[in-house]
Protein backbone atom coordinates (compact mmCIF):
# COMPACT_ATOMS: atom_id res chain seq x y z
CA UNK A 1 0.00 0.00 0.00
CA UNK A 2 2.80 2.39 0.87
CA UNK A 3 4.62 1.65 -2.39
CA UNK A 4 1.46 2.32 -4.33
CA UNK A 5 0.99 5.69 -2.66
CA UNK A 6 4.65 6.51 -3.24
CA UNK A 7 4.30 5.62 -6.90
CA UNK A 8 1.20 7.82 -7.25
CA UNK A 9 3.02 10.65 -5.48
CA UNK A 10 6.00 10.40 -7.83
CA UNK A 11 3.73 10.39 -10.87
CA UNK A 12 1.95 13.49 -9.63
CA UNK A 13 5.26 15.25 -8.97
CA UNK A 14 6.56 14.38 -12.40
CA UNK A 15 3.32 15.62 -14.00
CA UNK A 16 3.53 18.84 -12.04
CA UNK A 17 7.17 19.35 -13.07
CA UNK A 18 6.33 18.67 -16.73
CA UNK A 19 3.31 20.97 -16.55
CA UNK A 20 5.43 23.72 -15.01
CA UNK A 21 8.17 23.20 -17.60
CA UNK A 22 5.74 23.26 -20.55
CA UNK A 23 3.91 26.26 -19.09
CA UNK A 24 7.21 28.08 -18.60
CA UNK A 25 8.21 27.42 -22.18
CA UNK A 26 4.83 28.61 -23.48
CA UNK A 27 4.94 31.71 -21.25
CA UNK A 28 8.50 32.51 -22.33
CA UNK A 29 7.57 32.28 -26.01
CA UNK A 30 4.50 34.44 -25.47
CA UNK A 31 6.53 36.95 -23.45
CA UNK A 32 9.29 37.02 -26.07
CA UNK A 33 6.82 37.58 -28.92
CA UNK A 34 5.13 40.34 -26.96
CA UNK A 35 8.41 42.10 -26.24
CA UNK A 36 9.45 41.85 -29.90
CA UNK A 37 6.13 43.35 -31.01
CA UNK A 38 6.42 46.10 -28.44
CA UNK A 39 9.98 46.86 -29.54
CA UNK A 40 9.11 47.16 -33.21
CA UNK A 41 5.92 49.09 -32.40
CA UNK A 42 7.80 51.74 -30.41
CA UNK A 43 10.93 51.76 -32.58
CA UNK A 44 11.34 54.95 -34.60
CA UNK A 45 12.99 54.86 -38.01
CA UNK A 46 16.28 56.72 -38.36
CA UNK A 47 16.10 60.32 -39.47
CA UNK A 48 16.24 60.78 -43.23
CA UNK A 49 18.62 63.31 -44.77
CA UNK A 50 16.99 65.87 -47.06
CA UNK A 51 17.81 69.10 -48.83
CA UNK A 52 15.49 72.05 -48.27
CA UNK A 53 14.74 75.57 -49.46
CA UNK A 54 12.88 78.44 -47.82
CA UNK A 55 9.86 79.52 -49.85
CA UNK A 56 9.82 83.25 -50.44
CA UNK A 57 8.23 85.61 -53.00
CA UNK A 58 10.35 86.24 -56.07
CA UNK A 59 10.22 87.86 -59.47
CA UNK A 60 8.57 85.67 -62.08
CA UNK A 61 8.99 86.07 -65.83
CA UNK A 62 6.00 84.41 -67.54
CA UNK A 63 6.30 83.24 -71.09
CA UNK A 64 4.70 81.46 -74.01
CA UNK A 65 6.48 78.22 -74.90
CA UNK A 66 6.41 76.61 -78.33
CA UNK A 67 8.38 74.42 -80.72
CA UNK A 68 10.09 76.10 -83.67
CA UNK A 69 12.20 75.40 -86.73
CA UNK A 70 15.33 77.36 -87.57
CA UNK A 71 15.82 78.78 -91.04
CA UNK A 72 18.34 81.17 -92.53
CA UNK A 73 17.12 84.68 -93.23
CA UNK A 74 18.68 84.30 -96.69
CA UNK A 75 19.03 80.74 -97.93
CA UNK A 76 18.51 79.18 -101.37
CA UNK A 77 19.33 76.07 -103.35
CA UNK A 78 21.22 77.34 -106.42
CA UNK A 79 20.33 75.91 -109.84
CA UNK A 80 21.54 76.53 -113.39
CA UNK A 81 19.41 78.46 -115.89
CA UNK A 82 20.65 76.76 -119.06
CA UNK A 83 21.98 73.42 -120.16
CA UNK A 84 25.64 72.61 -120.60
CA UNK A 85 28.61 70.57 -119.46
CA UNK A 86 30.37 71.44 -116.20
CA UNK A 87 33.75 72.88 -117.03
CA UNK A 88 34.93 74.17 -113.66
CA UNK A 89 33.74 74.12 -110.01
CA UNK A 90 35.03 77.20 -108.21
CA UNK A 91 34.01 76.40 -104.63
CA UNK A 92 34.35 73.69 -101.98
CA UNK A 93 32.10 72.52 -99.20
CA UNK A 94 31.45 74.92 -96.29
CA UNK A 95 33.28 77.75 -98.01
CA UNK A 96 32.25 81.30 -97.26
CA UNK A 97 31.70 83.16 -100.49
CA UNK A 98 31.11 86.82 -101.24
CA UNK A 99 28.26 88.40 -103.13
CA UNK A 100 28.40 87.81 -106.93
CA UNK A 101 31.23 85.29 -106.58
CA UNK A 102 31.43 82.79 -109.47
CA UNK A 103 30.69 79.28 -108.21
CA UNK A 104 30.32 77.23 -111.41
CA UNK A 105 31.45 77.56 -115.02
CA UNK A 106 29.77 75.67 -117.87
CA UNK A 107 31.30 75.11 -121.29
CA UNK A 108 30.71 78.39 -123.19
CA UNK A 109 32.91 78.07 -126.30
CA UNK A 110 30.00 78.27 -128.77
CA UNK A 111 28.41 81.22 -127.00
CA UNK A 112 31.71 83.12 -126.92
CA UNK A 113 32.20 82.57 -130.68
CA UNK A 114 28.68 83.80 -131.41
CA UNK A 115 29.28 86.84 -129.23
CA UNK A 116 32.55 87.69 -130.99
CA UNK A 117 30.87 87.41 -134.39
CA UNK A 118 28.01 89.58 -133.32
CA UNK A 119 30.36 92.17 -131.88
CA UNK A 120 32.12 92.35 -135.29
CA UNK A 121 28.77 92.76 -137.04
CA UNK A 122 27.78 95.44 -134.54
CA UNK A 123 31.01 97.31 -135.24
CA UNK A 124 30.34 97.10 -138.99
CA UNK A 125 26.78 98.35 -138.56
CA UNK A 126 28.03 101.20 -136.39
CA UNK A 127 30.51 102.20 -139.16
CA UNK A 128 27.75 102.06 -141.79
CA UNK A 129 25.61 104.28 -139.59
CA UNK A 130 28.40 106.84 -139.27
CA UNK A 131 28.93 106.82 -143.07
CA UNK A 132 25.19 107.27 -143.71
CA UNK A 133 25.06 110.20 -141.33
CA UNK A 134 28.02 111.86 -143.09
CA UNK A 135 26.48 111.35 -146.55
CA UNK A 136 23.20 112.76 -145.38
CA UNK A 137 24.95 115.86 -144.07
CA UNK A 138 26.54 116.35 -147.50
CA UNK A 139 23.18 115.91 -149.18
CA UNK A 140 24.26 112.84 -151.07
CA UNK A 141 22.52 110.15 -149.02
CA UNK A 142 18.79 109.70 -148.58
CA UNK A 143 16.88 109.66 -145.31
CA UNK A 144 15.71 106.08 -145.86
CA UNK A 145 19.28 104.85 -146.12
CA UNK A 146 20.09 106.64 -142.86
CA UNK A 147 17.11 105.07 -141.10
CA UNK A 148 18.08 101.60 -142.33
CA UNK A 149 21.66 102.03 -141.11
CA UNK A 150 20.46 103.29 -137.75
CA UNK A 151 18.07 100.33 -137.31
CA UNK A 152 20.79 97.83 -138.26
CA UNK A 153 23.21 99.36 -135.74
CA UNK A 154 20.59 99.26 -132.99
CA UNK A 155 19.68 95.64 -133.75
CA UNK A 156 23.32 94.57 -133.73
CA UNK A 157 23.86 96.23 -130.34
CA UNK A 158 20.80 94.48 -128.91
CA UNK A 159 22.00 91.17 -130.31
CA UNK A 160 25.36 91.66 -128.56
CA UNK A 161 23.56 92.29 -125.29
CA UNK A 162 21.49 89.14 -125.76
CA UNK A 163 24.48 86.94 -126.49
CA UNK A 164 26.30 88.43 -123.53
CA UNK A 165 23.35 87.45 -121.30
CA UNK A 166 23.39 83.93 -122.75
CA UNK A 167 27.09 83.76 -122.02
CA UNK A 168 26.57 84.95 -118.45
CA UNK A 169 24.08 82.13 -117.92
CA UNK A 170 26.96 79.72 -118.36
CA UNK A 171 28.24 80.97 -115.01
CA UNK A 172 26.57 80.38 -111.64
CA UNK A 173 27.14 83.26 -109.22
CA UNK A 174 26.24 83.76 -105.55
CA UNK A 175 23.22 86.09 -105.16
CA UNK A 176 24.44 87.07 -101.68
CA UNK A 177 27.29 86.34 -99.32
CA UNK A 178 27.07 83.20 -97.23
CA UNK A 179 28.25 79.64 -96.73
CA UNK A 180 27.94 77.03 -99.47
CA UNK A 181 27.23 73.39 -98.85
CA UNK A 182 28.38 70.17 -100.46
CA UNK A 183 28.54 70.24 -104.32
CA UNK A 184 25.85 68.10 -105.95
CA UNK A 185 27.54 67.98 -109.39
CA UNK A 186 30.89 66.87 -110.86
CA UNK A 187 33.17 68.19 -113.59
CA UNK A 188 32.12 66.93 -117.01
CA UNK A 189 28.53 66.31 -115.96
CA UNK A 190 25.77 67.49 -118.30
CA UNK A 191 23.31 69.76 -116.53
CA UNK A 192 19.76 70.53 -117.60
CA UNK A 193 18.02 73.78 -116.68
CA UNK A 194 16.86 73.69 -113.03
CA UNK A 195 19.45 71.18 -111.85
CA UNK A 196 20.40 71.85 -108.19
CA UNK A 197 24.09 72.61 -107.77
CA UNK A 198 24.61 73.61 -104.13
CA UNK A 199 22.84 75.24 -101.20
CA UNK A 200 23.82 78.74 -100.06
CA UNK A 201 22.94 79.87 -96.53
CA UNK A 202 23.62 83.15 -94.75
CA UNK A 203 24.25 81.92 -91.17
CA UNK A 204 24.86 85.31 -89.54
CA UNK A 205 21.17 85.88 -88.85
CA UNK A 206 18.58 83.14 -88.43
CA UNK A 207 14.82 83.18 -88.36
CA UNK A 208 12.63 80.87 -86.31
CA UNK A 209 9.10 79.93 -87.36
CA UNK A 210 6.75 78.65 -84.66
CA UNK A 211 3.04 78.52 -83.84
CA UNK A 212 1.07 79.49 -80.73
CA UNK A 213 -2.58 78.87 -79.78
CA UNK A 214 -5.09 81.52 -80.75
CA UNK A 215 -5.83 82.26 -77.06
CA UNK A 216 -2.29 83.62 -76.66
CA UNK A 217 -2.41 85.88 -79.74
CA UNK A 218 -3.32 89.04 -77.73
CA UNK A 219 -0.12 88.59 -75.68
CA UNK A 220 2.16 88.81 -78.73
CA UNK A 221 3.53 91.95 -80.35
CA UNK A 222 6.26 92.89 -82.80
CA UNK A 223 9.66 93.34 -81.16
CA UNK A 224 8.91 91.09 -78.19
CA UNK A 225 11.90 89.22 -76.74
CA UNK A 226 12.24 85.56 -77.70
CA UNK A 227 14.65 83.02 -76.22
CA UNK A 228 15.74 79.79 -77.90
CA UNK A 229 17.30 76.58 -76.69
CA UNK A 230 17.95 73.02 -77.78
CA UNK A 231 16.33 71.39 -74.76
CA UNK A 232 16.11 71.65 -71.00
CA UNK A 233 16.02 74.89 -69.07
CA UNK A 234 19.01 76.52 -70.77
CA UNK A 235 18.02 78.95 -73.55
CA UNK A 236 21.19 80.82 -74.56
CA UNK A 237 19.93 82.51 -77.74
CA UNK A 238 17.93 85.74 -77.69
CA UNK A 239 16.02 87.39 -80.50
CA UNK A 240 12.87 89.34 -81.27
CA UNK A 241 9.56 88.78 -83.03
CA UNK A 242 9.59 90.17 -86.58
CA UNK A 243 6.26 88.97 -87.92
CA UNK A 244 2.86 87.69 -86.76
CA UNK A 245 0.51 86.10 -89.25
CA UNK A 246 -2.73 88.15 -89.37
CA UNK A 247 -4.75 84.98 -90.05
CA UNK A 248 -5.47 82.07 -87.71
CA UNK A 249 -5.32 78.60 -89.24
CA UNK A 250 -8.92 77.37 -89.14
CA UNK A 251 -7.89 73.70 -89.04
CA UNK A 252 -5.38 73.87 -86.17
CA UNK A 253 -6.43 77.16 -84.48
CA UNK A 254 -2.78 78.19 -84.38
CA UNK A 255 -1.07 81.45 -85.31
CA UNK A 256 2.22 81.45 -87.21
CA UNK A 257 4.94 83.67 -85.72
CA UNK A 258 8.42 84.49 -87.04
CA UNK A 259 11.38 85.69 -85.00
CA UNK A 260 14.93 86.66 -85.90
CA UNK A 261 17.99 85.67 -83.86
CA UNK A 262 21.61 86.69 -84.27
CA UNK A 263 23.94 83.73 -84.87
CA UNK A 264 27.49 85.12 -84.74
CA UNK A 265 29.04 81.84 -83.53
CA UNK A 266 27.17 79.67 -86.02
CA UNK A 267 25.64 77.37 -83.41
CA UNK A 268 22.21 77.51 -85.02
CA UNK A 269 21.74 75.52 -88.22
CA UNK A 270 18.90 75.80 -90.76
CA UNK A 271 16.30 73.11 -90.29
CA UNK A 272 17.16 72.62 -86.62
CA UNK A 273 14.57 71.91 -83.94
CA UNK A 274 14.50 74.43 -81.07
CA UNK A 275 12.41 75.24 -78.03
CA UNK A 276 11.01 78.77 -78.14
CA UNK A 277 9.95 80.94 -75.22
CA UNK A 278 8.34 84.34 -75.73
CA UNK A 279 9.02 86.40 -72.61
CA UNK A 280 6.13 88.39 -71.14
CA UNK A 281 6.30 91.28 -68.61
CA UNK A 282 7.68 90.34 -65.18
CA UNK A 283 5.43 89.65 -62.21
CA UNK A 284 6.33 90.37 -58.58
CA UNK A 285 5.70 88.43 -55.33
CA UNK A 286 5.21 85.01 -56.87
CA UNK A 287 5.86 81.93 -54.73
CA UNK A 288 8.04 79.48 -56.63
CA UNK A 289 9.85 76.24 -55.86
CA UNK A 290 12.29 74.03 -57.73
CA UNK A 291 10.46 71.42 -59.75
CA UNK A 292 12.31 68.72 -57.79
CA UNK A 293 10.32 69.73 -54.69
CA UNK A 294 6.98 68.86 -56.31
CA UNK A 295 5.77 65.27 -56.32
CA UNK A 296 2.88 64.14 -58.50
CA UNK A 297 0.60 61.26 -57.50
CA UNK A 298 -2.86 59.93 -58.31
CA UNK A 299 -4.28 62.02 -55.46
CA UNK A 300 -2.70 65.29 -56.56
CA UNK A 301 0.54 67.25 -56.34
CA UNK A 302 2.16 67.60 -52.94
CA UNK A 303 5.29 68.80 -51.17
CA UNK A 304 6.97 68.01 -47.87
CA UNK A 305 7.28 70.88 -45.38
CA UNK A 306 9.84 70.66 -42.54
CA UNK A 307 8.38 71.48 -39.10
CA UNK A 308 9.79 71.35 -35.53
CA UNK A 309 8.82 68.15 -33.74
CA UNK A 310 6.28 68.38 -30.92
CA UNK A 311 7.54 67.60 -27.36
CA UNK A 312 5.37 64.47 -27.23
CA UNK A 313 7.24 63.06 -30.19
CA UNK A 314 10.51 62.91 -28.27
CA UNK A 315 9.72 61.05 -24.97
CA UNK A 316 13.13 59.42 -24.74
CA UNK A 317 14.79 62.52 -23.29
CA UNK A 318 12.00 62.98 -20.73
CA UNK A 319 11.88 59.38 -19.45
CA UNK A 320 15.60 59.34 -18.69
CA UNK A 321 15.35 62.04 -16.01
CA UNK A 322 12.89 60.24 -13.61
CA UNK A 323 15.23 57.26 -13.48
CA UNK A 324 18.07 59.46 -12.23
CA UNK A 325 16.09 61.36 -9.56
CA UNK A 326 15.49 58.46 -7.10
CA UNK A 327 19.23 57.91 -6.86
CA UNK A 328 19.80 61.40 -5.48
CA UNK A 329 17.56 61.04 -2.33
CA UNK A 330 19.14 57.68 -1.58
CA UNK A 331 22.52 59.34 -1.42
CA UNK A 332 21.19 62.28 0.63
CA UNK A 333 19.54 60.23 3.36
CA UNK A 334 22.73 58.75 4.83
CA UNK A 335 24.28 62.20 4.86
CA UNK A 336 21.28 63.69 6.72
CA UNK A 337 20.81 60.78 9.18
CA UNK A 338 24.44 60.53 10.26
CA UNK A 339 23.86 57.15 12.02
CA UNK A 340 27.43 56.31 12.89
CA UNK A 341 30.97 57.52 12.40
CA UNK A 342 31.81 54.26 10.67
CA UNK A 343 29.62 55.27 7.75
CA UNK A 344 31.56 58.49 7.05
CA UNK A 345 34.58 56.78 5.49
CA UNK A 346 32.21 54.99 3.13
CA UNK A 347 30.52 58.28 2.21
CA UNK A 348 33.90 59.96 1.79
CA UNK A 349 35.04 57.12 -0.40
CA UNK A 350 31.94 57.52 -2.58
CA UNK A 351 32.70 61.22 -3.28
CA UNK A 352 35.82 60.58 -5.36
CA UNK A 353 33.78 58.17 -7.44
CA UNK A 354 31.12 60.81 -8.10
CA UNK A 355 33.79 63.44 -8.75
CA UNK A 356 35.46 61.10 -11.20
CA UNK A 357 32.15 60.61 -12.97
CA UNK A 358 31.70 64.36 -13.59
CA UNK A 359 34.54 64.64 -16.12
CA UNK A 360 32.99 61.76 -17.98
CA UNK A 361 29.71 63.68 -18.16
CA UNK A 362 31.54 66.80 -19.25
CA UNK A 363 33.37 64.83 -21.92
CA UNK A 364 30.07 64.16 -23.63
CA UNK A 365 29.19 67.86 -23.87
CA UNK A 366 31.23 68.51 -27.01
CA UNK A 367 29.11 65.92 -28.82
CA UNK A 368 25.81 67.60 -27.88
CA UNK A 369 25.91 70.47 -30.40
CA UNK A 370 25.97 67.92 -33.22
CA UNK A 371 22.48 66.64 -32.47
CA UNK A 372 21.22 67.29 -28.93
CA UNK A 373 21.12 71.08 -29.22
CA UNK A 374 19.44 70.98 -32.63
CA UNK A 375 15.62 70.81 -32.52
CA UNK A 376 14.04 67.62 -33.83
CA UNK A 377 12.47 68.06 -37.25
CA UNK A 378 9.58 66.17 -38.83
CA UNK A 379 7.85 66.32 -42.20
CA UNK A 380 4.32 67.35 -43.03
CA UNK A 381 2.82 66.36 -46.38
CA UNK A 382 1.03 69.33 -47.93
CA UNK A 383 -1.04 69.14 -51.10
CA UNK A 384 -0.55 72.16 -53.37
CA UNK A 385 -1.82 73.53 -56.66
CA UNK A 386 1.02 74.12 -59.13
CA UNK A 387 0.89 76.76 -61.84
CA UNK A 388 3.29 77.86 -64.54
CA UNK A 389 6.77 76.40 -65.02
CA UNK A 390 9.95 78.08 -66.20
CA UNK A 391 13.66 77.17 -66.15
CA UNK A 392 13.35 74.42 -63.55
CA UNK A 393 11.01 76.41 -61.27
CA UNK A 394 7.29 75.91 -60.71
CA UNK A 395 4.75 78.44 -59.45
CA UNK A 396 2.71 77.36 -56.40
CA UNK A 397 -0.77 78.85 -56.55
CA UNK A 398 -2.30 77.29 -53.42
CA UNK A 399 -1.11 75.38 -50.36
CA UNK A 400 2.22 77.18 -49.73
CA UNK A 401 3.01 80.27 -47.71
CA UNK A 402 6.12 82.39 -47.51
CA UNK A 403 8.69 81.16 -44.97
CA UNK A 404 7.88 77.44 -45.27
CA UNK A 405 10.91 75.17 -45.41
CA UNK A 406 10.27 72.75 -48.27
CA UNK A 407 12.16 69.56 -49.13
CA UNK A 408 13.79 69.74 -52.56
CA UNK A 409 15.68 66.42 -52.64
CA UNK A 410 15.44 63.03 -50.95
CA UNK A 411 11.67 62.48 -51.17
CA UNK A 412 11.88 58.88 -52.39
CA UNK A 413 11.43 57.27 -48.95
CA UNK A 414 9.69 60.05 -47.09
CA UNK A 415 6.27 59.92 -45.50
CA UNK A 416 4.17 62.14 -43.30
CA UNK A 417 5.62 62.57 -39.79
CA UNK A 418 9.08 61.08 -40.42
CA UNK A 419 12.08 62.60 -38.63
CA UNK A 420 14.60 64.29 -40.89
CA UNK A 421 17.93 66.07 -40.82
CA UNK A 422 18.68 68.92 -43.22
CA UNK A 423 21.79 68.90 -45.42
CA UNK A 424 21.90 71.70 -48.00
CA UNK A 425 25.40 71.02 -49.31
CA UNK A 426 23.81 69.66 -52.51
CA UNK A 427 21.50 71.89 -54.53
CA UNK A 428 19.35 69.76 -56.88
CA UNK A 429 18.33 72.83 -58.89
CA UNK A 430 21.90 73.10 -60.24
CA UNK A 431 23.69 70.58 -62.40
CA UNK A 432 26.42 68.40 -60.93
CA UNK A 433 29.05 69.99 -63.17
CA UNK A 434 28.27 73.51 -61.93
CA UNK A 435 28.39 72.42 -58.31
CA UNK A 436 31.72 70.68 -58.86
CA UNK A 437 33.13 73.86 -60.41
CA UNK A 438 31.97 75.93 -57.43
CA UNK A 439 33.59 73.52 -54.99
Amino acid sequence: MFKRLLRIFLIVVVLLVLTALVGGIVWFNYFRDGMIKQYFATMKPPAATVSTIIAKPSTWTPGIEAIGTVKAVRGVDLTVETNGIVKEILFHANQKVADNAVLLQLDDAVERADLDAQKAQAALDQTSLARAIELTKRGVGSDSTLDTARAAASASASQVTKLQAVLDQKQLTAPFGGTVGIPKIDIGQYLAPGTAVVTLQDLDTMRVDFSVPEQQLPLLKIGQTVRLGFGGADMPFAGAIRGIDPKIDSSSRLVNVRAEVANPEGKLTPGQFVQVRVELPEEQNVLTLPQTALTTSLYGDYIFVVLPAKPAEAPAAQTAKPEEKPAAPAADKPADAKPADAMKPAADAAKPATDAAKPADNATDPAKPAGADQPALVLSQVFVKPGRRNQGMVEIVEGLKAGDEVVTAGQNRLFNGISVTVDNTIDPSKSANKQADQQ
Side-chain angles (χ1 to χ4, degrees):
M1 185 68 181
F2 177 75
K3 291 182 179 181
R4 185 178 180 182
L5 293 175
L6 180 61
R7 183 180 300 174
I8 294 174
F9 177 76
L10 292 176
I11 293 173
V12 171
V13 171
V14 171
L15 291 177
L16 291 176
V17 171
L18 292 176
T19 302
L21 182 61
V22 172
I25 294 174
V26 172
W27 175 84
F28 175 75
N29 291 333
Y30 178 78
F31 175 77
R32 181 189 62 185
D33 295 341
M35 293 301 294
I36 292 175
K37 292 180 180 180
Q38 182 179 2
Y39 173 77
F40 284 105
T42 57
M43 182 184 67
K44 290 186 176 181
T49 302
V50 297
S51 176
T52 62
I53 189 175
I54 303 298
K56 55 184 179 181
S58 60
T59 302
W60 178 266
T61 303
I64 302 173
E65 297 185 357
I67 302 300
T69 303
V70 178
K71 297 180 181 179
V73 173
R74 295 186 299 177
V76 293
D77 291 335
L78 300 180
T79 60
V80 293
E81 299 180 73
T82 185
N83 57 351
I85 297 176
V86 178
K87 181 179 180 181
E88 189 176 5
I89 300 176
L90 303 175
F91 69 93
H92 57 81
N94 299 103
Q95 178 183 353
K96 291 186 177 181
V97 297
D99 186 13
N100 292 325
V102 179
L103 304 179
L104 179 68
Q105 179 65 58
L106 298 179
D107 186 12
D108 57 354
V110 176
E111 287 75 11
R112 284 188 180 277
D114 292 341
L115 179 60
D116 292 340
Q118 188 59 43
K119 284 182 178 180
Q121 183 62 40
L124 178 60
D125 292 340
Q126 191 66 31
T127 303
S128 300
L129 175 60
R131 184 180 300 111
I133 294 174
E134 184 65 25
L135 293 175
T136 302
K137 288 181 180 180
R138 295 178 181 181
V140 178
S142 62
D143 293 339
S144 61
T145 304
L146 176 61
D147 293 339
T148 303
R150 184 179 285 113
S154 178
S156 297
S158 300
Q159 193 66 20
V160 169
T161 304
K162 175 184 177 182
L163 292 178
Q164 182 64 50
V166 173
L167 182 64
D168 292 340
Q169 289 180 351
K170 293 295 182 175
Q171 288 183 343
L172 180 63
T173 59
F176 53 84
T179 302
V180 294
I182 300 174
K184 300 179 181 179
I185 46 88
D186 294 317
I187 294 178
Q189 180 179 350
Y190 176 80
L191 302 182
T195 303
V197 175
V198 69
T199 181
L200 176 63
Q201 305 290 329
D202 183 4
L203 303 180
D204 293 336
T205 304
M206 310 298 289
R207 68 186 181 195
V208 180
D209 295 334
F210 59 97
S211 302
V212 298
E214 60 178 344
Q215 295 85 352
Q216 298 175 338
L217 178 59
L219 303 176
L220 300 178
K221 60 182 180 180
I222 301 298
Q224 210 163 11
T225 302
V226 175
R227 303 201 67 88
L228 308 178
F230 302 124
D234 189 17
M235 293 189 173
F237 305 99
I241 294 178
R242 290 291 179 261
I244 302 174
D245 202 334
K247 183 184 71 172
I248 299 175
D249 189 353
S250 59
S251 59
S252 62
R253 306 299 177 186
L254 298 177
V255 182
N256 295 325
V257 184
R258 174 170 291 179
E260 289 187 4
V261 181
N263 188 33
E265 298 181 1
K267 293 183 178 180
L268 294 175
T269 305
Q272 195 170 20
F273 160 90
V274 291
Q275 290 184 345
V276 183
R277 176 180 172 82
V278 182
E279 294 187 349
L280 301 178
E282 292 184 349
E283 299 178 7
Q284 304 295 330
N285 299 325
V286 178
L287 286 177
T288 60
L289 291 175
Q291 293 188 18
T292 56
L294 187 66
T295 304
T296 302
S297 67
L298 297 176
Y299 304 100
D301 300 307
Y302 63 89
I303 59 175
F304 286 106
V305 179
V306 179
L307 301 174
K310 296 180 180 180
E313 296 179 0
Q318 298 178 359
T319 56
K321 294 181 179 179
E323 295 177 0
E324 297 175 355
K325 288 182 179 179
D332 295 336
K333 287 181 180 179
D336 297 336
K338 297 180 182 179
D341 296 336
M343 298 297 295
K344 292 182 179 180
D348 295 336
K351 290 181 179 180
T354 57
D355 295 336
K358 291 180 179 179
D361 297 336
N362 296 334
T364 60
D365 292 338
K368 290 182 179 179
D373 294 342
Q374 296 181 358
L377 302 176
V378 295
L379 292 184
S380 175
Q381 187 180 18
V382 179
F383 283 88
V384 296
K385 181 180 179 181
R388 298 163 294 183
R389 301 171 187 259
N390 180 25
Q391 297 183 355
M393 303 296 290
V394 57
E395 176 190 15
I396 304 300
V397 180
E398 295 179 3
L400 179 68
K401 59 180 181 295
D404 287 347
E405 188 175 6
V406 182
V407 176
T408 58
Q411 304 101 314
N412 294 338
R413 298 183 179 180
L414 300 184
F415 53 87
N416 196 21
I418 187 176
S419 299
V420 295
T421 58
V422 177
D423 182 9
N424 290 328
T425 56
I426 300 298
D427 187 359
S429 62
K430 298 180 181 179
S431 63
N433 296 332
K434 292 182 179 179
Q435 297 187 50
D437 295 339
Q438 293 177 357
Q439 294 177 355

